Amino acid sequence: MQHEPSLKSNSSEALPNHPDEGDDFEHSRPSTDFKQSAINLPFELYDPYPGYNSEAWKKKWHGAHFACEGPRGVDVNGNPDDMLGAYKLSTDALTPAPIFGSYKETGLGSGYCFERHARNSPYGDENRPGDGPNDRPQPSTVDWEEVDWGRLQQECYVRNRNRFANNKDNTPPLMFRFPSHEDTLHVNETLILPEEELRSEETPLRKWFSSSLKEHKKRNAILLRTYDSKKYTPDNLYHIRSMITELSLHSGAEYEVFLMVQIVDLDKRIFSDPAVYQEALDQYVPREFHNISILFNVPLLEAWYPKAGKHDPNNSQQVHMTQPLQLFSLLRPDFDLYWQFELDVRYTGHHYHHLEAIRKWAQKQHRRLSWERAAYFYSPYIHKTWEIFSNKVRRITDGGGIWGAITTTGVSPVGPKSPTEFPEEDDFEWGVGEPADMINVMPIIDPVKTEMMFRDWIDNYPDGKKNTPRRAGPVTPLIAVSKRLLRAMHHSQVTMGTQMMPEMFPESSALHHGLKAVAFPEPVYLENDDKTPEELESIFNDQTEKSMWNGASPHSKLAQYISYWWSAGFKPEYSNVLYRKWLGIDFEGNKTEQQRLCLPAIMLHPIKYI
């Protein structure tokens, strides 16, 4: 283990810029000039899935892919009514360049744009925009109240279980329980310890043998966070149905989607009587989602984590956001990666393409300087390529960067040991091909260097508030956390009662345990004509008290104009403005002039009151 390395004196400034130019569309000046109409663009069914059961696919993967039944009673694969539609662009130049993040460098680029009806009509949107020659035909109707998404996902898994390593015949009931004495007594058994290191012992024969074996596909859980007073609008329903269909059913159960519902009303004693539990489901969750929903409340969290701070029913969802995720990793250990979404996130593109691009990109990243790269926004216009950006980070980092676990009193790392004593001895190889344990789609920063609220909310760490190493992902509507990291977090909270704000706890735990963490450069747009891209890059990559991460920053109102951020309290947020424009409605819900806006694949947050 090592202590945190220092940064060079200029590291508190924005990354240095270079005027070199490129011919990629993302190297053009960032813009939010979205005006591309779907009218007269060629319509196509959008299919981003690998060539399941092809010869090349069968050489790599164990088992066979079997098509799964969808909400229309037929297999979704190849059924046009169950497939998202998109419009082919003649050139990437028709897509405005994002201020941060990249389509090209991440594999998110597709050459398509997405119009509201073509994207949502398979999931119940019957509001056709027109009858032009290139319009999508209306899919067949579905009685959605009679759809059982839990049954469809479970049957899909059973059909495909031979593809997966953890291929149990039956999964446990989708219900949390209160802890027993044995759960506390045997908490050490929940940890996933480092696997035996074979790197130094590998022989050419072992390498050949391991490369010739077919791989089992690893499964992903999607947890959509919601609460008992949530009102499910048609837009919410389209969103949830699209995630289940695109991520789970089409992929043959590579993903499985769940609703994680907090019952804030403590008069509903959901764990005292199965009838009360069912009553809460009936009252708070649409019928079609009953069998993918798992309920929790404050008494459950208090029982499992009595040492870990206060559990106020009015703020427990914010303060203890990772605890239900930790418990889910115990209940359903058949997943390797757990994605947590807030329900007010929207994605205009294809969910499978999106999450697979994130997962694969994260797996390709090497560990050397990964924490340091994660601290900055990558701007194609300013930094050009990801390689140039990475080299700039290396130049301003002193001491080779973080290398393995950071020494933290009371923590026995569960991550692997670094292959070399010093990072400079590694040729950017360690971590390549290793699945990430912590993924954020926004920077992961050292909050100590900022005036970020709650940066010192650190309880029950032996090194105290001042000396405990920490990292934070201040924008967390979407995160992905591995089973290994969640188990380490669970163990720490049960045995020591450690607590941080949820924007810090997974990231800091990964730091303490030497686990792989990455910040995916998600394409982000910012609507602002007052500042140049150079000024914006400098503001957002500032690592001082003037940082955007400081709520009192003079630049904090810029959060109103960014497509993916936290709910900053400024109205109206650009994410809401753009999404309503795409839907063709105003802020009163009235239809606007139908422009048939066709957007690139953009993740938007927050989306409220639609």
Side-chain angles (χ1 to χ4, degrees), residues 31-36 95-96 525 574 578 581 597 599-600 602:
S31 167
T32 56
D33 187 21
F34 295 109
K35 58 185 180 182
Q36 180 63 54
T95 301
Y525 290 86
Y574 176 61
L578 182 59
K581 186 177 179 181
L597 184 63
L599 291 177
I602 307 176

Side-chain angles (χ1 to χ4, degrees), residues 223-467:
L223 286 305
L224 305 179
R225 288 293 296 267
T226 183
Y227 49 92
D228 51 14
S229 59
K230 172 67 180 176
K231 305 300 181 185
Y232 291 84
T233 66
D235 187 73
N236 296 140
L237 300 178
Y238 306 155
H239 172 62
I240 299 170
R241 293 165 186 164
S242 71
M243 295 195 79
I244 300 170
T245 304
E246 294 163 25
L247 288 167
S248 179
L249 302 185
H250 274 282
S251 73
E254 294 172 21
Y255 291 78
E256 190 167 345
V257 179
F258 304 90
L259 290 185
M260 186 173 283
V261 186
Q262 180 177 9
I263 305 301
V264 180
D265 182 1
L266 296 186
D267 290 333
K268 294 280 189 184
R269 301 177 64 86
I270 55 175
F271 295 107
S272 63
D273 186 341
V276 177
Y277 193 97
Q278 184 61 48
E279 179 183 285
L281 272 177
D282 294 338
Q283 182 175 352
Y284 299 128
V285 180
R287 179 178 170 182
E288 60 186 287
F289 304 130
H290 278 194
N291 289 332
I292 67 167
S293 296
I294 184 164
L295 312 184
F296 72 97
N297 60 10
V298 165
L300 177 79
L301 303 183
E302 288 177 332
W304 277 95
Y305 303 109
K307 298 180 180 180
K310 298 179 180 179
H311 290 75
D312 185 332
N314 295 318
N315 65 14
S316 184
Q317 171 136 327
Q318 289 75 34
V319 175
H320 299 283
M321 186 170 288
T322 63
Q323 288 182 352
L325 200 59
Q326 293 159 206
L327 294 181
F328 193 83
S329 78
L330 299 175
L331 178 69
R332 291 294 303 271
D334 46 314
F335 300 105
D336 289 276
L337 192 62
Y338 299 78
W339 303 73
Q340 180 167 266
F341 282 81
E342 294 178 11
L343 204 52
D344 57 352
V345 174
R346 293 293 182 273
Y347 191 64
T348 59
H350 196 287
H351 294 300
Y352 184 85
H353 185 200
H354 186 209
L355 297 196
E356 283 294 282
I358 295 174
R359 185 188 61 78
K360 291 178 180 178
W361 186 91
Q363 186 165 325
K364 291 178 182 177
Q365 302 310 301
H366 51 77
R367 279 177 171 255
R368 185 176 169 188
L369 295 172
S370 62
W371 286 103
E372 291 72 23
R373 291 191 303 275
Y376 293 100
F377 283 94
Y378 162 59
S379 171
Y381 179 76
I382 301 297
H383 308 127
K384 306 310 173 189
T385 68
W386 180 260
E387 182 179 6
I388 293 174
F389 167 77
S390 299
N391 288 334
K392 290 175 181 177
V393 173
R394 180 166 61 164
R395 286 199 296 272
I396 68 169
T397 303
D398 193 17
I402 293 171
W403 192 239
I406 294 295
T407 302
T408 309
T409 303
V411 175
S412 298
V414 300
K417 293 182 179 180
S418 56
T420 61
E421 183 176 1
F422 301 105
E424 294 86 351
E425 299 171 340
D426 174 71
D427 191 22
F428 297 97
E429 294 179 346
W430 187 35
V432 175
E434 176 190 16
D437 292 283
M438 172 71 222
I439 304 174
N440 202 327
V441 296
M442 281 291 200
I444 301 172
I445 65 169
D446 183 353
V448 172
K449 300 176 181 179
T450 75
E451 294 296 321
M452 192 182 91
M453 190 180 299
F454 305 123
R455 67 190 181 281
D456 291 328
W457 187 348
I458 294 178
D459 293 327
N460 299 325
Y461 283 89
D463 292 330
K465 298 181 184 296
K466 182 177 180 180
N467 297 318

